Amino acid sequence: MLEKLTIKSRNNFNRPGDLCESLIFYQNTNLILDPGSLPEALAYCGYDNLNELLRSGELTLNFSNQAFGAGNVEGNKFIISTFTSDAQRKTLSIQKSVESIYGRNIKSQNISKHLNRAIGHHHYSDKYQNLSKRELSNEDNLLSAITILTKGELNRDNVKLTIEEAERGLYNIESNIDNEIIRDSAHLISTGVAQIYDAEMNNSSLIGNYKVSNYAENKINKIIQRRKADEDQIKAFHQFVLPEYYDLQGTISSGSKEFNEFMELWREAIKFKSWLKDEEPTVELLTAYIRKISEKTWLDKLPSKNVRWLLFAGIGTLLGGEIGGAAGTAASLGVDYLDDLILNRLLNNWKPDQYIQGDYKDFLNLRIGE
């Protein structure tokens, strides 16, 4: 069975279907909320439902008042930054969210106290922030992001880049393409590295649209490739497709089914999930599981779709006898680069599997190097 997925909702909670599908497929879902998405998630799911999910151990909630972003400061100067909202800390955000739904009373005070204990704090360390800001200094990173963003129209064959650090964290980027594309590509880098960090910090898989998934896959492939003694092209991920699955994500996100109705489905699912905990995910296993939970629920009434993952092959499989050497390389560098921080986590058994959302044609067409 799939183990753990991290989902981050920024600014709003407009894709509740992602949470619902994760709660069906994964043993644990780590949901990261911010000051914008917390009140919406609480209003949509309801406190009693969230409490039931938290008590089951299948849902973990974390709160973050930080976010990565990128911008074009002036001229050809670009930056990746971390934003922290000190005025929207966890305790105050929870209190405001609860009172907006339940009013100011004893019940809301008790709910706030419980959620303050139950919701963890997701924090980007200063070291990680500094490493992430340097991602923009790497030409390969920016070229990858440009290729993905423009769906291959712009690539290393027709893009010229010169990157120089103007001052700490601020980069002067000369190019033959529009600054808007560079700015948006820098934003993709910031989003991609944040997604990787969110997942590796929680030792989980990550979820993303085709842009983020392509960027993360390409980055991890390159990290491992640089540690290989031979020149063979790395394929660190393999595709895993569950065909003809019901479109739970789209049904929930469209509002066709409410969260209370989903909870009935989830209660049926947990009767079987514990049996599958230690089983390797296969098409046959997941198909049988879905068929079983749909027998007494509305799931089989939904339209169908394919569900796709990129599953990580495993660092031992990819590097074999070179693991010790790779670990030594990362350690000797003192983790001065984000790539080495990620490599160390891979060497400590993190598996960055990816749960793909959105247009799969774009994802398939833009897998860099294929």
Side-chain angles (χ1 to χ4, degrees):
M1 191 71 177
L2 298 159
E3 293 181 12
K4 189 175 185 179
L5 182 69
T6 291
I7 301 172
K8 186 173 185 178
S9 290
R10 288 185 58 186
N11 303 322
N12 56 55
F13 191 68
N14 60 4
R15 288 177 60 89
D18 291 343
L19 172 62
C20 294
E21 278 198 341
S22 181
L23 288 167
I24 293 298
F25 283 118
Y26 287 83
Q27 293 288 343
N28 178 265
T29 298
N30 175 49
L31 178 60
I32 303 172
L33 300 169
D34 67 8
S37 59
L38 173 61
E40 293 186 11
L42 181 59
Y44 177 81
C45 299
Y47 169 72
D48 289 337
N49 288 330
L50 286 178
N51 188 34
E52 183 179 351
L53 291 166
L54 288 167
R55 288 170 63 88
S56 74
E58 296 215 348
L59 177 66
T60 303
L61 290 178
N62 281 287
F63 177 85
S64 176
N65 61 343
Q66 294 177 299
F68 278 105
N72 183 190
V73 179
E74 61 177 6
N76 294 323
K77 291 184 172 63
F78 298 83
I79 190 171
I80 289 179
S81 301
T82 310
F83 307 96
T84 302
S85 176
D86 290 329
Q88 294 178 303
R89 295 182 179 179
K90 186 181 82 169
T91 301
L92 183 58
S93 291
I94 290 174
Q95 180 185 340
K96 286 183 176 180
S97 299
V98 172
E99 289 180 353
S100 69
I101 300 168
Y102 301 102
R104 288 190 176 186
N105 49 51
I106 297 298
K107 178 183 177 180
S108 65
Q109 290 177 15
N110 291 333
I111 291 175
S112 295
K113 288 178 182 177
H114 173 246
L115 290 179
N116 266 299
R117 294 193 302 269
I119 298 176
H121 185 60
H122 183 78
H123 179 72
Y124 298 108
S125 69
D126 291 341
K127 186 178 187 68
Y128 188 84
Q129 292 180 48
N130 292 331
L131 293 177
S132 298
K133 291 173 185 178
R134 294 177 60 180
E135 285 292 281
L136 197 53
S137 68
N138 186 293
E139 186 176 307
D140 279 344
N141 290 340
L142 189 53
L143 281 169
S144 294
I146 291 168
T147 302
I148 292 167
L149 188 72
T150 63
K151 300 184 178 182
E153 182 179 336
L154 297 176
N155 53 62
R156 62 182 63 252
D157 293 329
N158 54 24
V159 174
K160 296 179 181 179
L161 292 172
T162 302
I163 303 174
E164 295 180 350
E165 187 169 18
E167 53 189 272
R168 187 170 181 178
L170 187 65
Y171 296 93
N172 191 67
I173 303 177
E174 302 285 345
S175 178
N176 61 336
I177 64 175
D178 291 342
N179 276 357
E180 284 189 10
I181 296 175
I182 296 177
R183 180 201 63 201
D184 293 345
S185 299
H187 182 71
L188 176 57
I189 292 173
S190 72
T191 302
V193 298
Q195 287 276 62
I196 292 171
Y197 175 79
D198 293 340
E200 65 91 7
M201 181 182 181
N202 293 284
N203 199 30
S204 73
S205 303
L206 58 141
I207 187 172
N209 58 29
Y210 77 91
K211 295 176 185 176
V212 173
S213 295
N214 268 281
Y215 185 81
E217 179 195 15
N218 187 50
K219 184 167 188 63
I220 290 168
N221 278 338
K222 286 183 176 180
I223 289 171
I224 297 171
Q225 183 70 57
R226 282 198 291 270
R227 271 66 184 183
K228 289 280 289 181
D230 56 60
E231 297 300 319
D232 292 341
Q233 193 68 29
I234 282 291
K235 292 288 187 288
F237 297 86
H238 66 273
Q239 296 179 60
F240 177 72
V241 182
L242 182 63
E244 298 303 309
Y245 169 68
Y246 307 114
D247 189 8
L248 178 61
Q249 193 278 338
T251 299
I252 295 292
S253 292
S254 70
S256 297
K257 291 288 183 181
E258 296 183 351
F259 198 72
N260 283 335
E261 295 174 286
F262 165 75
M263 288 297 291
E264 296 171 5
L265 174 64
W266 173 78
R267 293 183 190 107
E268 189 67 24
I270 58 175
K271 297 175 184 178
F272 305 98
K273 286 175 74 173
S274 59
W275 300 350
L276 306 176
K277 184 176 181 180
D278 298 320
E279 300 293 332
E280 285 294 317
T282 65
V283 171
E284 294 75 18
L285 179 70
L286 290 180
T287 299
Y289 161 65
I290 295 301
R291 187 180 298 121
K292 196 68 180 174
I293 66 175
S294 66
E295 287 179 356
K296 298 180 180 180
T297 66
W298 42 262
L299 188 60
D300 63 355
K301 306 296 191 299
L302 304 184
S304 62
K305 71 168 185 177
N306 291 346
V307 183
R308 293 175 170 86
W309 290 265
L310 283 185
L311 299 184
F312 186 63
I315 196 73
T317 301
L318 294 167
L319 293 183
E322 301 173 41
I323 288 181
T329 300
S332 66
L333 286 173
V335 196
D336 287 332
Y337 296 92
L338 182 63
D339 287 8
D340 296 301
L341 182 71
I342 294 171
L343 177 63
N344 278 342
R345 291 292 289 115
L346 294 173
L347 293 169
N348 282 286
N349 299 316
W350 173 49
K351 294 187 67 178
D353 299 337
Q354 299 186 54
Y355 188 29
I356 311 300
Q357 295 291 308
D359 191 339
Y360 192 68
K361 290 181 181 177
D362 286 331
F363 173 78
L364 202 60
N365 291 336
L366 287 170
R367 293 185 78 188
I368 296 172
E370 292 192 358

